[in-house]
Amino acid sequence: MAADVEEAQNDEVQKPVGAVSGDGVNDVMVEADQLSAVDADADEKPVIEESPASEGVEGKAAKVAPDDADDDDDDDDEDYLVEEGEIAGDYLEQLLDVLDFDGDIDLDVEGDRAIVSIDGGDDLAKLVGRKGEVLDALQELTRLAVQQSTGERSKLMLDVAGWRAKRRSELGNLGAEAARRVLESGEREELTPMTPFERKIVHDAVAKIEGVASESTGVEPSRRVVVVKA
């Protein structure tokens, strides 16, 4: 399955992104359909790669004093994310023109992601769709447009009309409330199926409350968060 998804993604890279015809938003959904399974859980749990420690005295890891190189690396990372945001902004401006939608594009950097927002236009709800389906598709197309330009897979986050920000707040409250119920009752609680973006927010909310933990179970599109007493 992974090989099939990777092959589909590679095929997509060979053609120009944003070749949207007169069908407008429907074309966005169709073109992004092949990408919906790519990195399905990339936003749910960060993967931490551990490199072997440098050998020091008696086999212990040698400590390296921090220097200006770390600051330079941070600056380079931020510059790259700013570049990602600018590429995404240019792509989205062209796409909005093709779809005949109005909207102001705002660029920002948050942690290790470029954040791109579209606000201020009429009928932007059409670019969100039912439960954010159109927004998710548009985000995948935008990430692919950035990848075509930089050669690197993008993790940028796209929001339209503040939908993700509002959803983040709702899910944070949902996770916190579930955690408190589990803490009081001692019984595990399964939440409704969610996207990787939604599960990540719930995991973060549960992690802030001592005495409980969370995990994901099931397979897409029925994968869900389970809250248990730690």
Side-chain angles (χ1 to χ4, degrees):
M1 177 63 182
D4 293 340
V5 172
E6 182 177 359
E7 182 178 353
Q9 181 183 2
N10 291 335
D11 290 342
E12 195 71 29
V13 172
Q14 300 303 316
K15 64 179 181 179
V17 177
V20 181
S21 66
D23 291 332
V25 175
N26 287 336
D27 276 354
V28 173
M29 292 293 293
V30 171
E31 187 171 349
D33 186 55
Q34 300 178 47
L35 303 174
S36 60
V38 177
D39 294 337
D41 285 325
D43 294 334
E44 185 178 349
K45 293 283 188 179
V47 177
I48 302 175
E49 296 183 356
E50 298 182 358
S51 57
S54 301
E55 292 186 359
V57 179
E58 296 180 356
K60 295 182 179 180
K63 295 183 179 180
V64 180
D67 53 28
D68 293 338
D70 293 336
D71 294 335
D72 292 340
D73 289 342
D74 291 341
D75 291 341
D76 290 342
D77 290 343
E78 184 169 353
D79 290 344
Y80 176 76
L81 293 176
V82 170
E83 179 186 2
E84 271 198 358
E86 291 174 346
I87 294 170
D90 290 342
Y91 168 72
L92 289 168
E93 283 184 356
Q94 296 176 28
L95 188 60
L96 290 176
D97 287 342
V98 172
L99 298 174
D100 196 24
F101 277 37
D102 293 325
D104 299 322
I105 298 177
D106 183 58
L107 311 177
D108 199 1
V109 172
E110 182 178 305
D112 62 346
R113 293 178 187 268
I115 307 295
V116 185
S117 303
I118 303 177
D119 295 292
D122 296 331
D123 296 328
L124 287 181
K126 293 179 181 178
L127 296 181
V128 175
R130 179 179 175 272
K131 295 183 178 180
E133 290 175 346
V134 177
L135 175 55
D136 288 340
L138 185 56
Q139 177 175 272
E140 284 302 321
L141 289 176
T142 306
R143 286 177 172 180
L144 185 59
V146 172
Q147 181 181 350
Q148 281 191 326
S149 180
T150 65
E152 300 290 338
R153 177 69 179 164
S154 173
K155 298 191 300 180
L156 72 83
M157 186 70 71
L158 175 64
D159 198 2
V160 173
W163 186 86
R164 286 200 196 278
K166 181 180 178 181
R167 185 65 174 148
R168 186 187 296 272
S169 177
E170 293 173 348
L171 289 168
N173 291 335
L174 176 67
E177 290 170 1
R180 284 190 284 268
R181 287 195 298 269
V182 170
L183 196 60
E184 292 175 1
S185 68
E187 298 181 0
R188 72 197 300 270
E189 182 171 335
E190 286 192 8
L191 304 182
T192 58
M194 299 178 184
T195 66
F197 164 76
E198 294 170 330
R199 294 195 300 269
K200 173 66 166 60
I201 297 170
V202 174
H203 285 308
D204 289 345
V206 173
K208 295 178 181 178
I209 299 179
E210 293 185 3
V212 293
S214 64
E215 59 186 23
S216 292
T217 184
V219 295
E220 303 292 356
S222 299
R223 193 164 171 79
R224 65 189 66 205
V225 174
V226 179
V227 183
V228 298
K229 195 164 184 178

